[in-house]
Each structure stands twice: as structure tokens, then as C-alpha cells.
Amino acid sequence: MEQFVIRAPQVILTRWGHAPTPLPSATQEKLSRCGDDAVYVRDVLPRLLGVSISAEVSFFADAGQELYMEFPALAEEYLAIADDGQGDLWLMHLRRGAMYFFDHGAWETPLTELAIDFWGFLQLADLMAQWEDFLDEEPSDTSQAEEHLRGAMRELAPGLPETYPFALT
């Protein structure tokens, strides 16, 4: 049996989702530019607003505030859907649906593409929650479990363990 499991989005929503919260008009407007591919985001994001699935993923509504003031052009191409509590953001590209990590302190290259879509991001956040639960048990050796986690991340996207912006240990 695998230690870390990629759960179906509906299972994740059963655990983490809540009654829908209306999306601000700025978020709705941005999502309308995504076309039919983002219908699921319009349906799912309202159930996640205010939810912290893992230490690095807290969902919120991009209400048009200047979240990435240093790079105002990003506001036209991306929707901020979550933050890490340290000023960095998880962004979804409006046309491609690809997820990115925005490092507010990295001036040269603030964006890291994760090579996953919104569903993959939701599954990644859930994997990180499973990892945090494992670490809460205070294991003496994490090396084998970390390899299992990296394997699960590779199932979402082959290079994801290398592009994930946070250290696992």
C-alpha cells in the first residue's frame, strides 16, 4: 500500500470543501476569460475559499487587489487562487489553465511553472497535507516516506518534485 495517495478531487472536496462562498466580481470576470475549460474552477473555488489545505496552500478569492504590485502585468494573465502565508502566491494562467508559483521576492524570475492544472494543484495540496500529517507523527526516519511522496508528485507531473518551491523536510 502506498503511503501517500493521489485522491480524486471529489474526495478532497469532501474533506476540505464547504458550502460555496460567492466569488467576488473581479474573480468571476477573470474566470470568464478562461472559457469552458475553467467551468470546474468556477464551481470548485467557491467551496475552497478560506480553506488551508496545507501549510503552504490557503485558498482565497482574487478580488482585484494588487496582490502582485511589483509585476502589474501578471494581473491580466493570471488568477491568484491561494497563498503560502508568506506573501507568495499560487497563480493559474487564465488562457492555459496551468498553475504557477509566484515568489514575491524573486525579481528576475518570480514565476515557476508547476506543469499541472487546477485539479493537479488541488491534489498536490492534499499530498502536502498528507505529508504534514505524517511529519506530525514525529517519525525517526523520513527518507523512505519522502521518496514515496516524490513518486506521488511525479504521478501528477514528472518534474514536480524538482519544481515544487518548498523543501519537504
Side-chain angles (χ1 to χ4, degrees), residues 15-156:
R15 179 173 183 198
W16 298 103
H18 55 72
T21 302
L23 292 172
S25 59
T27 303
Q28 291 178 28
E29 189 278 321
K30 281 187 174 188
L31 286 172
S32 72
R33 290 188 262 151
C34 294
D36 293 337
D37 293 342
V39 169
Y40 59 88
V41 178
R42 283 190 286 273
D43 292 341
V44 172
L45 190 56
R47 294 185 57 198
L48 295 169
L49 295 181
V51 172
S52 294
I53 290 183
S54 70
E56 289 92 15
V57 179
S58 295
F59 286 90
F60 69 93
D62 183 342
Q65 65 269 45
E66 294 298 320
L67 297 171
Y68 16 72
M69 292 183 297
E70 307 92 348
F71 304 93
L74 294 179
E76 295 302 314
E77 295 180 44
Y78 297 87
L79 173 69
I81 64 165
D83 68 14
D84 69 352
Q86 301 172 41
D88 303 317
L89 301 169
W90 301 98
L91 306 175
M92 184 181 79
H93 192 277
L94 292 172
R95 285 189 318 263
R96 293 192 307 270
M99 292 298 301
Y100 289 78
F101 179 75
F102 171 76
D103 182 342
H104 78 287
W107 291 96
E108 295 295 318
T109 54
L111 292 177
T112 300
E113 184 173 1
L114 301 173
I116 54 177
D117 61 7
F118 179 81
W119 285 131
F121 177 71
L122 184 61
Q123 291 170 315
L124 174 63
D126 182 62
L127 278 175
M128 293 302 106
Q130 292 174 52
W131 176 247
E132 290 168 4
D133 289 345
F134 168 77
L135 292 177
D136 285 346
E137 296 171 7
E138 299 184 27
S140 58
D141 180 18
T142 62
S143 59
Q144 188 175 16
E146 187 174 331
E147 269 314 302
H148 284 264
L149 176 62
R150 289 180 182 281
M153 291 171 78
R154 282 187 193 94
E155 287 181 42
L156 293 175

